[in-house]
Amino acid sequence: MYAIAKIKMKNNILGNEIFNEIDLQSSKISDEKLSGIISGEGKINSRTYKLDLKKFKKFISQIKLAMSLIKDFKAGRYTDIPWRSLAMIAAAILYFINPMDLIPDILPVFGYGDDAMLFAAVFKSIQSDLEKYGDWKGINTSEFFLK
């Protein structure tokens, strides 16, 4: 029991470190980086296809919602989101496409675990903005958040 608690504590510390890094990196997001994310959508999709759908279903859904939001924002269809929230999403996507992030993605399951944990934290931190986007888009966003 003690070992499980210790692992959970380490994961929480790791999660906080990752989230803090994304928070810092989000301040460096520019309109050009959003365009780069959109033009790199094929690379993002190819990385999501490598994920086990059973283990990463929510994470894959979050990536798709994030990409949809960025594309709608860049096209001028949806602009009712604070830049900070959009930048957090963009920074999370950039973290995801970096194969040598904190836990290298070449490690089975664990490699994408930090990415999934990060997306969950970012989505939770901007949940109201994402729910507002979902209402505008006509989708139920409850499936995108941890319960």
Side-chain angles (χ1 to χ4, degrees):
M1 187 70 153
Y2 174 74
I4 292 171
K6 197 172 181 180
I7 290 169
K8 285 183 179 180
M9 186 176 78
K10 283 184 181 179
N11 284 341
N12 190 33
I13 291 168
L14 179 64
N16 287 338
E17 287 178 20
I18 295 168
F19 184 82
N20 290 339
E21 179 63 23
I22 291 303
D23 189 32
L24 175 67
Q25 293 303 316
S26 70
S27 66
K28 300 174 185 175
I29 297 296
S30 64
D31 195 54
E32 292 78 28
K33 285 194 179 181
L34 292 180
S35 296
I37 289 169
I38 293 170
S39 66
E41 187 174 16
K43 181 179 181 180
I44 294 164
N45 289 338
S46 71
R47 290 183 62 77
T48 58
Y49 293 137
K50 295 176 184 176
L51 299 173
D52 182 337
L53 184 58
K54 291 178 185 175
K55 293 179 182 165
F56 292 105
K57 183 178 180 180
K58 186 178 297 288
F59 177 44
I60 293 167
S61 296
Q62 289 172 331
I63 292 169
K64 289 179 182 179
L65 182 68
M67 286 303 300
S68 176
L69 174 56
I70 289 172
K71 289 190 290 186
D72 282 337
F73 178 84
K74 282 295 292 172
R77 291 185 293 264
Y78 185 80
T79 57
D80 191 19
I81 185 166
W83 179 258
R84 175 128 170 65
S85 295
L86 193 65
M88 290 287 288
I89 291 170
I93 289 173
L94 291 171
Y95 183 86
F96 169 65
I97 61 175
N98 179 1
M100 297 309 291
D101 51 32
L102 192 59
I103 301 174
D105 295 337
I106 57 171
L107 299 173
V109 180
F110 297 111
Y112 290 106
D114 63 322
D115 301 292
M117 189 171 32
L118 170 68
F119 264 82
V122 167
F123 268 55
K124 185 66 178 166
S125 73
I126 61 170
Q127 184 169 346
S128 62
D129 293 327
L130 291 168
E131 287 171 340
K132 203 169 160 183
Y133 173 68
D135 290 344
W136 175 83
K137 191 89 170 163
I139 55 176
N140 179 2
T141 57
S142 64
E143 70 180 85
F144 299 102
F145 304 102
L146 294 177
K147 295 175 177 136

